[in-house]
Amino acid sequence: MSSVFTQPAHLDVERGDVKSILLVYFLSENVSRDDLDSSLASVLETAGDFFAIYFVECFSRESRVESYLEEGSVIKSRLEKAMHELNEKLWLVEFDHDSKEHRCRNLLCPDNSSSIPLDVVVQASLRELFVQQNGLVHAPQGFHYEKPSELHAQSFMRVTNVLEHYAGPLVLGYWSLSQLCKKDIVKIIVDTSGISVVAYAMVFMAHAWGLIKNPPVIVSCESYGGLGKISISQPEKTLILISATTSGGLRGRLIERRANEENILTLYFLGSQKRDAGSILCDLTRKFADSVNGYEPIMSFPKSSCALCMKHSYAVTLSGDQFAFEPPKIKEIVLVKTDLNDRFALLIDALAGTDFFKVVKMLGGKNSEFFLDFDSLWKADGDSFAPTQSAVEKIKSSFERAVVRYSPISLSKIVYSSYPYSKELAEYALSVLRKTNPIVSPELQGAKEMAASSAKFGAAALVISSVLDDSVELASINRDLRKVQPQGDAAYITTAFMAHSEERVKAIKMNLTYGENGPNTFSFVSLLDLPLPKSYEKHSWIAELDMLHELVQWADESDKKITDQIMQRIKFLSAVPSKGMAEGLFWPSNENMQLKIRSDFVFLTTDGGERDLSQADVFYVISALLHQLRRGVAGRRLIYKPYERSVLSPENFNRFSDGVIQASILRAARDYELSFSNCEGGDLSESMTEIVVSQIDGSKEALMEFLVAISCRRLVVSNENILKIVNKIADKEGLSDSVKLIGGYMYSQFLG
């Protein structure tokens, strides 16, 4: 679980005036500078300038973020690049131990007061969490719900969806603290057991801060069905949490049973009768009719006169916030060639074999999963695969035409980004311009040098970036150009655009080209749009390195001999981010042979096995293919939601028997895509285990990759099946010492 939760949110200040804010929750008292910087870098990369950022330190008695924002710090510099008027935008939310209330103060200008009430910020945060977690559940066509109140509705609020988010219980608990700490509470009643984690989070924080002496008892009243069993003997000392309501009906029934109405807190409300709901933590009801934030009130009908029943819709009975639909069928996704976009398939095929595609590179202070090496591509030799040479020449000629066509007339400077090979491309652009105009003499400047240059009214700049994968830097360049060349002109050329989604492409293009004259004030062109996934914050090689360090520690403590191969792997992975890698992505076979693609690979032209394709080429193809499937291809989609789920079928590892392809699938898969342990019946977990066991018995080509994936919890099978794998490793002769060692480590981690 990440120690920092960054949450972009939107709030309605007035009709038509929507502000974008960012909440940064510290979910641990040990949040480091690196933790905060990494989380901020990730969200600032894709977001624009926020109206305000609120730092919420859920566990710290004294603020950490203030020291992290000292003048000249990396974090403050990053924020200054991404945002205007920073002094008015950074706020710290604290829980005042004297007043037992939350308060907000400006981090950089203590005398400033916020124009946005803190309650509005809280509403925006909790609403965003609810929306993100699909808290509003709609019945399928032909069905509706009968709620515990016996009212019928087409939708209901499932607050436990919110609590499935790792930060959900802490966030809801933190904003509910006042209700617990202002009185001597000895008992907390929750309406469903699912939200008891919110109560426990409240008690944990309050007790850790010394705000309560004795933790109260926490019990569930099981919604309406348990009202007859619940005892409220001390109303003034009993706090009641209601997960959600549309009418306040349960609150009224609790008051009838002696509950103190001031001690009842409803977490979420969505209805038209707010006055009956009492104290509400978050009102999900849309503030303005034309607002994009919030929902229309849920329409509820009495059981005896239900408009939905009259239309022959079937009522499904809810129990708490659970309902009686059968569990979702797990869809297995088998990879096929048509899953990969034809245009991109041709492009990646043409550029493979040049060391253009690499992984694991430090870029802008982040360990990036994907790295496009234009230095290697630009220098591709003449003996390369013919379509590759044609593609490289086409890219070069397209770049030259773009430079000539889009360069502003009064060009005074060419600015290059920090992405590797951007400076060389800027120099090349200058040589292209001088072929048509020998006397042109724009100044070449890096982004920092440009920002420090003197202002010149009406000047013009050409901005060059070899690759656009982090919009923060180009957004900073865009901002600084407006300062150093007021009412000037600018054109942006990137040779390759890491296009994670169409929406992201449109947003970035809009931000860069929007100026005083509206849209398209400035020019932007990208030569290659590469639909690749966003670099995973903790990609497989970071996870592997962390796991190997833990393995070494375990081996030392267990008096096990650490193999030279494992130590060499640790050394290799530690050094790789300085340059990236096209080879060495995967562990070698049991016989210490590097994994190579064989002929007739369906996704890349192998030229009868003669073409020199790298491991990274194969990994990029598989990554792009899975990325397409996450977005949906011909009705098939990689997705994981509470009631809709798909996984990569174990059959993929039978269809693609090359170790390098299997390793690429294991590395490129994300989240729950290889999670088989909770699949109904256990058949998928068993099938996946059989494939791993067959690796032990058979070729052993990608065996270490399977074991690393299990150890890093990216490939998930049941503990029973892990035991089968571990026992097989222990009994099998001829396995490498590294395989034997990791088998013992797996036993200690999952079964010990």
Side-chain angles (χ1 to χ4, degrees):
M1 183 184 81
S2 175
S3 60
V4 179
F5 169 43
T6 53
Q7 183 195 46
H10 302 86
L11 48 86
D12 291 303
V13 180
E14 297 177 357
R15 183 183 295 273
D17 184 11
V18 179
K19 303 294 187 185
S20 295
I21 62 172
L22 177 67
L23 291 101
V24 183
Y25 287 93
F26 284 32
L27 304 180
S28 164
E29 58 183 342
N30 299 315
V31 175
S32 68
R33 291 175 186 267
D34 289 343
D35 292 336
L36 180 57
D37 185 52
S38 175
S39 297
L40 285 174
S42 179
V43 71
L44 292 175
E45 175 187 341
T46 54
D49 193 355
F50 290 102
F51 178 77
I53 296 181
Y54 295 86
F55 294 90
V56 185
E57 299 193 50
C58 296
F59 286 94
S60 302
R61 279 182 170 274
E62 297 181 2
S63 170
R64 283 176 173 264
V65 72
E66 288 183 284
S67 63
Y68 295 170
L69 290 173
E70 60 195 12
E71 197 64 32
S73 68
V74 172
I75 295 173
K76 188 174 183 184
S77 298
R78 185 182 298 281
L79 290 167
E80 287 172 338
K81 288 181 180 179
M83 298 176 62
H84 297 285
E85 302 173 347
L86 200 62
N87 287 350
E88 301 175 15
K89 296 186 174 183
L90 300 186
W91 302 88
L92 175 66
V93 176
E94 300 170 303
F95 187 75
D96 183 56
H97 293 191
D98 294 323
S99 67
K100 309 297 190 299
E101 295 278 357
H102 296 92
R103 65 183 183 185
C104 182
R105 61 182 174 89
N106 190 291
L107 279 164
L108 302 182
C109 298
D111 293 332
N112 286 7
S113 58
S114 175
S115 60
I116 306 296
L118 182 57
D119 178 66
V120 176
V121 175
V122 176
Q123 297 283 309
S125 173
L126 298 182
R127 180 180 62 239
E128 186 67 27
L129 193 60
F130 185 91
V131 172
Q132 177 189 343
Q133 292 299 110
N134 299 306
L136 188 61
V137 179
H138 303 282
Q141 186 174 357
F143 297 86
H144 66 281
Y145 302 113
E146 181 177 324
K147 299 186 289 184
S149 62
E150 296 189 345
L151 293 174
H152 287 203
Q154 190 72 51
S155 308
F156 83 102
M157 290 175 282
R158 189 174 192 269
V159 176
T160 50
N161 277 13
V162 178
L163 302 177
E164 288 175 358
H165 190 285
Y166 72 92
L170 289 175
V171 170
L172 283 166
Y174 178 78
W175 294 121
S176 305
L177 271 176
S178 291
Q179 292 283 338
L180 173 63
C181 297
K182 284 187 173 182
K183 295 184 178 181
D184 182 21
I185 301 297
V186 298
K187 186 177 188 179
I188 300 178
I189 299 175
V190 295
D191 70 336
T192 60
S193 59
I195 68 165
S196 60
V197 290
V198 177
Y200 283 113
M202 293 168 61
V203 171
F204 179 83
M205 285 183 275
H207 192 259
W209 282 340
L211 297 175
I212 58 174
K213 293 182 180 180
N214 299 310
V217 175
I218 299 172
V219 298
S220 171
C221 71
E222 299 173 357
S223 193
Y224 287 81
L227 285 176
K229 305 174 187 175
I230 202 72
S231 170
I232 307 177
S233 57
Q234 296 177 281
E236 294 297 326
K237 296 186 176 184
T238 301
L239 172 64
I240 300 176
L241 297 183
I242 297 175
S243 55
T245 188
T246 60
S247 61
L250 180 58
R251 175 177 176 271
R253 296 283 294 275
L254 286 164
I255 293 173
E256 290 174 2
R257 299 194 62 82
R258 297 187 62 232
N260 183 333
E261 62 182 86
E262 294 181 0
N263 285 6
I264 302 176
L265 175 66
T266 299
L267 302 183
Y268 283 101
F269 170 81
L270 179 55
S272 55
Q273 302 296 323
K274 189 175 180 179
R275 65 178 180 274
D276 297 329
S279 297
I280 298 168
L281 194 60
C282 179
D283 183 0
L284 294 167
T285 312
R286 189 167 288 162
K287 186 175 181 181
F288 304 110
D290 55 351
S291 173
V292 296
N293 296 318
Y295 303 95
E296 291 295 327
I298 293 176
M299 295 290 294
S300 298
F301 304 94
K303 184 177 181 178
S304 58
S305 57
C306 174
L308 300 170
C309 290
M310 292 176 187
K311 296 178 181 178
H312 302 287
S313 173
Y314 184 81
V316 178
T317 302
L318 293 170
S319 176
D321 64 354
Q322 306 297 321
F323 54 92
F325 285 177
E326 65 180 64
K329 294 180 179 178
I330 307 298
K331 295 180 181 179
E332 295 182 60
I333 301 295
V334 177
L335 307 181
V336 295
K337 185 175 183 179
T338 52
D339 289 334
L340 189 59
N341 176 280
D342 287 341
R343 183 181 61 81
F344 181 61
L346 291 172
L347 177 61
I348 198 170
D349 188 42
L351 300 182
T354 63
D355 282 349
F356 175 54
F357 299 113
K358 291 183 177 178
V359 300
V360 189
K361 178 78 167 72
M362 289 302 295
L363 298 171
K366 294 189 303 181
N367 189 326
S368 182
E369 185 177 11
F370 300 99
F371 167 50
L372 299 179
D373 189 349
F374 265 94
D375 187 22
S376 295
L377 182 68
W378 224 250
K379 297 173 182 176
D381 61 61
D383 296 329
S384 297
F385 186 56
T388 299
Q389 277 302 301
S390 175
V392 172
E393 291 303 320
K394 185 177 180 180
I395 293 170
K396 289 181 178 179
S397 61
S398 297
F399 179 78
E400 293 172 2
R401 288 196 300 271
V403 168
V404 173
R405 178 178 178 182
Y406 291 100
S407 292
I409 296 175
S410 304
L411 186 64
S412 59
K413 60 183 65 180
I414 299 178
V415 181
Y416 51 87
S417 76
S418 63
Y419 201 98
Y421 210 69
S422 295
K423 182 178 181 181
E424 289 82 353
L425 284 179
E427 293 169 344
Y428 185 61
L430 179 57
S431 70
V432 169
L433 291 173
R434 283 179 173 164
K435 289 179 182 178
T436 58
N437 184 2
I439 64 171
V440 68
S441 58
E443 186 177 359
L444 262 66
Q445 294 181 335
K448 291 183 179 179
E449 186 182 359
M450 176 274 293
S453 62
S454 301
K456 184 178 179 181
F457 185 84
L462 174 64
V463 181
I464 301 290
S465 184
S466 59
V467 176
L468 175 54
D469 77 330
D470 181 348
S471 62
V472 171
E473 183 179 17
L474 283 195
S476 297
I477 292 174
N478 176 279
R479 180 200 64 201
D480 293 335
L481 281 174
R482 297 169 192 258
K483 181 183 70 174
V484 302
Q485 52 178 53
Q487 294 191 16
D489 195 7
Y492 299 83
I493 298 177
T494 181
T495 321
F497 194 159
M498 291 271 205
H500 312 320
S501 68
E502 293 179 4
E503 294 76 16
R504 181 174 183 267
V505 171
K506 291 178 182 178
I508 291 175
K509 287 183 177 180
M510 172 67 77
N511 289 339
L512 294 177
T513 60
Y514 198 93
E516 291 184 4
N517 298 321
N520 301 316
T521 298
F522 308 118
S523 301
F524 175 89
V525 60
S526 60
L527 305 184
L528 305 173
D529 286 351
L530 303 177
L532 291 166
K534 184 179 178 181
S535 286
Y536 214 21
E537 186 174 338
K538 190 169 184 178
H539 55 68
S540 67
W541 291 278
I542 293 178
E544 178 192 354
L545 186 57
D546 289 346
M547 182 274 292
L548 290 176
H549 283 305
E550 291 176 4
L551 184 150
V552 169
Q553 183 178 352
W554 165 80
D556 285 338
E557 294 171 352
S558 306
D559 200 24
K560 305 283 187 183
K561 182 180 179 182
I562 304 167
T563 66
D564 291 340
Q565 187 183 36
I566 286 177
M567 295 309 298
Q568 289 168 6
R569 182 69 177 172
I570 291 174
K571 183 178 180 181
F572 174 73
L573 290 178
S574 299
V576 155
S578 64
K579 56 185 178 181
M581 60 176 166
E583 297 290 355
L585 281 69
F586 313 124
W587 280 80
S589 69
N590 190 68
E591 289 73 30
N592 206 29
M593 300 293 292
Q594 293 299 317
L595 306 187
K596 296 289 290 185
I597 195 67
R598 297 181 177 87
S599 59
D600 298 324
F601 179 34
V602 67
F603 296 110
L604 287 176
T605 304
T606 61
D607 204 17
E610 296 297 317
R611 194 176 179 200
D612 187 19
L613 298 174
S614 70
Q615 292 180 350
D617 292 334
V618 180
F619 174 75
Y620 266 71
V621 169
I622 299 300
S623 294
L625 187 150
L626 296 186
H627 182 57
Q628 292 290 323
L629 282 168
R630 292 177 193 121
R631 298 164 68 183
V633 178
R636 299 159 64 245
R637 187 181 180 193
L638 278 171
I639 191 171
Y640 184 91
K641 290 185 177 180
Y643 306 107
E644 182 181 9
R645 189 179 170 197
S646 58
V647 295
L648 288 168
S649 174
E651 180 60 25
N652 287 304
F653 298 98
N654 289 325
R655 296 184 72 244
F656 300 103
S657 57
D658 282 16
V660 68
I661 305 175
Q662 295 176 336
S664 294
I665 295 172
L666 291 168
R667 296 273 181 174
R670 296 186 171 182
D671 298 325
Y672 299 93
E673 293 167 358
L674 290 173
S675 181
F676 305 111
S677 64
N678 293 320
C679 295
E680 189 177 10
D683 292 344
L684 289 177
S685 181
E686 190 69 35
S687 297
M688 192 68 242
T689 302
E690 289 175 2
I691 289 169
V692 179
V693 169
S694 71
Q695 284 277 325
I696 300 172
D697 283 332
S699 69
K700 310 174 184 62
E701 193 173 46
L703 175 57
M704 275 296 285
E705 282 295 313
F706 280 100
L707 301 183
V708 167
I710 293 173
S711 298
C712 293
R713 292 172 171 79
R714 195 167 53 257
L715 171 59
V716 183
V717 296
S718 68
N719 283 359
E720 179 183 351
N721 285 319
I722 289 177
L723 181 59
K724 290 181 182 179
I725 295 170
V726 169
N727 287 340
K728 189 70 177 179
I729 291 172
D731 295 340
K732 186 70 176 179
E733 295 182 358
L735 296 178
S736 71
D737 291 340
S738 295
V739 170
K740 292 285 189 179
L741 185 64
I742 201 169
Y745 172 76
M746 287 168 55
Y747 183 88
S748 72
Q749 294 299 301
F750 297 99
L751 307 166

